[in-house]
Amino acid sequence: SALPQPPSASGSPGQSVTISCTGTSSDVAGYNYVSWYQHHPGKAPKLIIYEVSKRPSGVPDRFSGSKSGNTASLTVSGLQAEDEADYYCSSYAGSNNLVVFGGGTKLTVV
Amino acid sequence: QVQLVQSGAEVKKPGSSVNVSCKASGGTFNNYAISWVRQAPGHGLEWMGRIIPLLGTTNYAQRFQGRVTIIADKSTRTAYMDLSGLRFEDTAVYYCARESGKWDLPHWGQGTLVTVSS
């Protein structure tokens, strides 16, 4: 089943917001293969964090990832209007269901 | 630059099957897995399965076992996802995505809307 994420998060422009993703020893806690995706409605998801804390080329350093135990976190600093989107974590989950996504968090920039 | 182009929208009857294609250009096709991910209306992203084109090996999410088949044609650099026994709740946008080798998905197709309707 999906990794639990808060359904919503919000912040004002310039503020920081952190989104959590809770897993188990079989996924998040067991491997350093946590990714985060930004998804604007009607567009394809975009990879913004991989291997827990690495950023693909072109992704602003306002986006950062971390992990502690079975919880991974995405922090968006210096919020901008264009950051308003759905955010999904995903993790490698071993040989049964190789990849599992989080339930998604809708980020609103108010 | 890797680009993935998917086939167009489909409308299917319950109980039928749908086949969605995903043609890759740029980059290496054979060595990196192609995953299929779907998003039903009002729901989140859901991983369905993957194939490594070079080996033809597949892995499927448990909930789709027996209903989904993923194949890859190395000669045309195209992956296919076939979903059978369609139900109304299979109505979704289906995406293909190419992995990087680190269980992440940096390259995505544009998505294909599959509508199951009687």
Side-chain angles (χ1 to χ4, degrees):
Chain A
S1 55
L3 301 174
Q5 294 182 230
S8 64
S10 64
S12 300
Q15 288 187 333
S16 294
V17 65
T18 297
I19 298 169
S20 63
C21 169
T22 306
T24 69
S25 58
S26 298
D27 39 64
V28 173
Y31 310 94
N32 286 322
Y33 290 122
V34 175
S35 303
W36 289 90
Y37 299 86
Q38 178 189 63
H39 192 199
H40 287 105
K43 302 183 77 174
K46 176 185 177 182
L47 177 70
I48 55 173
I49 295 288
Y50 67 99
E51 289 186 82
V52 177
S53 60
K54 298 178 181 178
R55 277 187 310 277
S57 174
V59 173
D61 59 6
R62 303 186 295 103
F63 294 91
S64 62
S66 63
K67 187 182 83 166
S68 177
N70 64 350
T71 300
S73 299
L74 171 72
T75 297
V76 186
S77 306
L79 275 173
Q80 299 182 3
E82 59 262 35
D83 298 333
E84 188 162 293
D86 296 320
Y87 290 84
Y88 294 90
C89 64
S90 79
S91 175
Y92 175 65
S95 56
N96 270 344
N97 281 313
L98 295 187
V99 176
V100 59
F101 279 96
T105 297
K106 182 175 183 61
L107 175 61
T108 303
V109 181
V110 297
Chain B
Q1 178 164 336
V2 176
Q3 281 197 310
L4 302 174
V5 179
Q6 299 181 219
S7 48
E10 303 260 15
V11 179
K12 293 292 183 179
K13 300 276 190 202
S16 67
S17 299
V18 68
N19 189 280
V20 181
S21 67
C22 170
K23 184 171 176 59
S25 61
T28 302
F29 178 74
N30 289 350
N31 297 342
Y32 295 99
I34 298 284
S35 277
W36 288 87
V37 176
R38 77 177 188 180
Q39 183 179 35
H43 289 78
L45 301 176
E46 183 174 30
W47 183 78
M48 300 178 67
R50 76 198 280 258
I51 186 167
I52 301 175
L54 179 66
L55 305 173
T57 53
T58 53
N59 300 93
Y60 301 122
Q62 283 184 330
R63 65 168 292 182
F64 295 104
Q65 288 273 6
R67 281 213 302 147
V68 68
T69 303
I70 299 172
I71 64 172
D73 184 337
K74 294 190 293 291
S75 67
T76 60
R77 298 170 60 100
T78 303
Y80 300 88
M81 187 280 299
D82 189 278
L83 186 63
S84 62
L86 288 172
R87 311 157 184 162
F88 296 119
E89 54 265 35
D90 291 319
T91 293
V93 176
Y94 290 77
Y95 294 98
C96 65
R98 202 202 82 170
E99 297 179 14
S100 72
K102 298 179 174 67
W103 300 103
D104 58 324
L105 300 168
H107 309 288
W108 292 71
Q110 82 276 20
T112 296
L113 175 61
V114 174
T115 303
V116 182
S117 172
S118 56

